[in-house]
């Protein structure tokens, strides 16, 4: 197989169907199925799973192609279902839980989401593993439905069980397969017979994948300054209300979400969004419904800040990117999409926030310390700084969260506390650690929310919380799922 650079967002693959089950597919066939790092949004693909110019397979009645339905969690990108696309709307009454045989290819050996120099997760030598269907319904788009109920549409959704612990590391690539085992009836009355044909979501330009909360991002933007020959690549999420008519007349909060060194120097814009939820969690529909905001995340060419407190010019360039958005002149939305073309984005200067994990948290602390008049608040997950460099944080709003087994972030923040207190900070630091078991499942965080809100209500401008038994890597997988922390951040307003 030709070696594919991780910097290539969409990679060439080969679409195929075969009468041999991919559940028993070997290594060479699996790689031939295509794929690579990144993803291809389902909305960009034609009905045959291909996109762009060139020859297309002739459209015939019946099943047209399949799409992996994914979501990014603290443990990385996970496959939560498959969308089977037909040429016409399907009668949900003709579907049963065993209508299809579905399978997901596991990640390549040695892959661990967010780690540097990891292998291509789709370059696997393993066979596809059967995945049981927990719900089946029709939809008008290639997407899961929260209610699990059918609406009229030509997509049949096979949904898988979701593990409630979203911090578990993913074992999924974004390649899937499907066999239609039983007949399916269209609303027109036409019946599509069962078949042994194996469908795969690989295409010429990458795997056909829909990632909830991620596909709406615009990737591969550039901030630049020709006077310094400086540039910085970034991705941006634009709220749906901005894309509606008149949305450009509103001002929006801005979140700067800085990822970790595992996505640099060999990562891509896609990986900053899919290998951890540091940035992408803020664009989930349920989060945006409560707090409409713009989100930006840089993609760095190198580690921007190391454990010796040294940093590259990318740190200050990141602030310049924020500064450029605050100028209310940003009009670089996709020119081929009329809902954002030529719109000028307005940012509320009193509601600019910083967040990140590990290197991203260190960068966030540094930026807030050096530009104290810019940020309304910071959510700092497992980051640390040298106390003498961040004295000005004493007058800012911070929620710092670490794990008791993190031997860098926790002790270094402890060293900062007396420095901040001496400089006038009011600090809330509980004398006991919190229980990470209260984080999951995320829809049962009532006890945790009461605890955290109680600490935040003590009135400290700096609150420092530590969870028992969590190490550095575990903090990334768990803490961004704490709803009370996210709500607190977006509720802050700079005086």
């Amino acid at each position: 197989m030709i070696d594919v650079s991780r910097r290539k967002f969409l990679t060439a693959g080969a679409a195929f169907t075969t009468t041999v089950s991919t559940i028993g597919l070997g290594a060479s066939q699996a790689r031939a199925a295509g794929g690579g790092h990144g993803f291809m949004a389902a909305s960009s693909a034609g009905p045959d799973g291909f996109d762009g110019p060139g020859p297309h397979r002739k459209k015939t009645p019946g099943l047209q192609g399949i799409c992996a339905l994914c979501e990014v969690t603290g443990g990385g990108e996970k496959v939560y279902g498959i969308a089977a696309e037909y040429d016409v709307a399907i009668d949900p009454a003709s579907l049963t839980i065993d209508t299809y045989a579905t399978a997901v290819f596991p990640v390549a050996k040695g892959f661990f989401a967010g780690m540097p120099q990891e292998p291509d997760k789709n370059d696997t030598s393993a066979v596809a593993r059967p995945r049981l269907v927990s719900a089946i319904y029709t939809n008008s788009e290639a997407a899961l439905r929260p209610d699990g109920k059918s609406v009229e549409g030509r997509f049949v959704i096979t949904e898988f069980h979701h593990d409630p612990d979203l911090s578990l590391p993913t074992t999924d690539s974004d390649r899937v397969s499907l066999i239609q085992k039983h007949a399916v009836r269209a609303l027109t009355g036409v019946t599509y017979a069962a078949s042994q044909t194996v469908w795969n979501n690989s295409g010429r330009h990458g795997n056909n994948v829909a990632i909830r909360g991620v596909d709406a991002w615009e990737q591969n933007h550039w901030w630049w300054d020709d006077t310094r020959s400086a540039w910085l690549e970034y991705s941006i999420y634009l709220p749906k209300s901005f894309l509606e008519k008149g949305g450009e007349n509103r001002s929006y909060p801005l979140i700067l979400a800085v990822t970790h060194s595992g996505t640099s120097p060999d990562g891509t814009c896609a990986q900053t969004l899919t290998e951890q939820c540091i940035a992408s969690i803020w664009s989930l529909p349920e989060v945006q419904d409560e707090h409409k905001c713009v989100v930006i995340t840089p993609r760095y060419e190198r580690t921007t800040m190391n454990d010796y407190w040294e940093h590259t010019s990318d740190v200050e360039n990141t602030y310049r990117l924020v500064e450029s958005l605050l100028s209310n002149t940003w009009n670089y939305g996709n020119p081929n999409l009329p809902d954002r073309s030529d719109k000028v984005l307005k940012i509320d200067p009193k509601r600019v926030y910083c967040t990140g994990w590990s290197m991203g948290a260190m960068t966030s602390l540094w930026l807030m310390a050096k530009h104290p008049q810019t940020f309304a608040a910071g959510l700092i997950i497992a980051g640390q700084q040298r106390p003498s460099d961040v004295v000005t944080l004493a007058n800012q709003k911070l929620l710092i969260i670490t794990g008791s087994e993190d031997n860098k972030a926790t002790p270094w923040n402890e060293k900062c506390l007396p420095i901040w207190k001496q400089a006038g900070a009011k600090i809330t630091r509980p004398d006991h650690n919190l229980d990470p078991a209260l984080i999951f499942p995320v829809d049962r965080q009532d006890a945790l929310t009461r605890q955290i809100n109680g600490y935040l209500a003590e009135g400290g401008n700096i609150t420092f919380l530590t969870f028992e038994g969590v190490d550095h890597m575990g903090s990334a997988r768990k803490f961004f799922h704490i709803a009370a922390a996210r709500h607190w951040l977006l509720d802050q307003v700079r005086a």
Side-chain angles (χ1 to χ4, degrees), residues 221-380:
H221 276 280
W222 299 90
W223 168 86
W224 75 96
D225 181 349
D226 289 338
T227 65
R228 297 191 296 131
S229 297
W231 53 268
L232 182 66
E233 190 175 14
Y234 68 97
S235 300
I236 185 168
Y237 173 81
L238 301 169
K240 286 185 178 180
S241 57
F242 172 76
L243 303 178
E244 295 169 354
K245 185 177 182 180
E248 66 273 21
N249 298 321
R250 299 180 54 173
S251 292
Y252 293 91
L254 172 67
I255 296 177
L256 169 64
V258 188
T259 57
H260 56 295
S261 59
T263 53
S264 58
D266 59 345
T268 64
C269 277
Q271 286 168 292
T272 63
L273 298 173
T274 59
E275 296 208 352
Q276 292 286 352
C277 63
I278 297 166
S280 57
I281 197 168
W282 306 96
S283 62
L284 287 174
E286 59 269 27
V287 177
Q288 285 285 321
D289 285 346
E290 294 184 327
H291 298 283
K292 294 178 177 58
C293 58
V294 175
V295 193
I296 54 172
T297 186
R299 190 199 72 79
Y300 299 124
E301 289 282 338
R302 60 192 69 80
T303 296
T304 61
M305 185 167 286
N306 62 24
D307 289 340
Y308 302 100
W309 321 117
E310 300 163 332
H311 63 274
T312 72
S313 59
D314 283 337
V315 173
E316 186 60 18
N317 288 342
T318 299
Y319 179 73
R320 298 292 183 91
L321 167 62
V322 172
E323 197 174 43
S324 70
L325 287 161
L326 279 168
S327 69
N328 290 341
T329 58
W330 191 93
N331 63 344
Y332 298 106
N334 191 328
N336 298 309
L337 297 176
D339 60 354
R340 65 206 72 189
S341 176
D342 296 326
K343 282 189 173 183
V344 178
L345 182 65
K346 293 183 176 64
I347 300 299
D348 182 349
K350 293 184 177 181
R351 300 188 65 195
V352 180
Y353 310 102
C354 229
T355 190
W357 171 70
S358 192
M359 182 193 78
M362 295 171 67
T363 301
S364 296
L365 287 167
W366 180 270
L367 289 174
M368 292 184 69
K370 299 307 175 185
H371 303 282
Q373 302 305 314
T374 299
F375 299 97
L379 174 59
I380 308 300

Side-chain angles (χ1 to χ4, degrees), residues 89-173:
I90 298 300
D91 182 358
S94 69
L95 303 173
T96 60
I97 205 73
D98 63 345
T99 294
Y100 304 94
T102 52
V104 179
F105 285 89
V107 295
K109 184 178 180 180
F111 176 86
F112 192 92
M115 293 299 290
Q117 299 179 332
E118 64 196 17
D120 180 337
K121 70 178 180 180
N122 292 313
D123 187 12
T124 178
S125 59
V127 298
R129 297 173 183 169
R131 187 70 59 90
L132 293 178
V133 176
S134 61
I136 188 167
Y137 47 89
T138 57
N139 201 355
S140 58
E141 59 180 338
L144 302 179
R145 289 183 57 82
D147 59 8
K149 295 181 179 179
S150 289
V151 296
E152 184 174 324
R154 55 194 179 89
F155 293 91
V156 176
I157 308 300
T158 52
E159 185 169 352
F160 306 145
H161 169 72
H162 304 191
D163 195 301
D165 187 347
L166 301 179
S167 68
L168 294 176
T170 183
T171 58
D172 298 337
S173 73

Side-chain angles (χ1 to χ4, degrees), residues 60-108:
T60 57
L63 187 55
Q64 306 295 303
I66 67 171
C67 172
L69 304 179
C70 303
E71 186 163 323
V72 178
T73 70
E77 182 187 336
K78 299 177 181 179
V79 178
Y80 279 170
I82 297 175
E85 182 182 6
Y86 288 83
D87 60 320
V88 293
I90 298 300
D91 182 358
S94 69
L95 303 173
T96 60
I97 205 73
D98 63 345
T99 294
Y100 304 94
T102 52
V104 179
F105 285 89
V107 295

Side-chain angles (χ1 to χ4, degrees), residues 261 303 305-311 356-367 369 379-390 393 398 400-403 406-416 420 464 472 475:
S261 59
T303 296
M305 185 167 286
N306 62 24
D307 289 340
Y308 302 100
W309 321 117
E310 300 163 332
H311 63 274
W357 171 70
S358 192
M359 182 193 78
M362 295 171 67
T363 301
S364 296
L365 287 167
W366 180 270
L367 289 174
L379 174 59
I380 308 300
I381 307 297
Q384 70 274 353
Q385 275 293 346
R386 185 165 52 186
S388 59
D389 290 337
V390 290
L393 292 176
L398 290 175
I400 300 169
I401 307 179
T402 65
D406 190 330
N407 60 10
K408 291 182 180 179
T410 300
W412 273 108
N413 280 289
E414 292 283 10
K415 292 178 182 179
C416 286
W420 289 333
F464 179 14
H472 187 67
S475 61

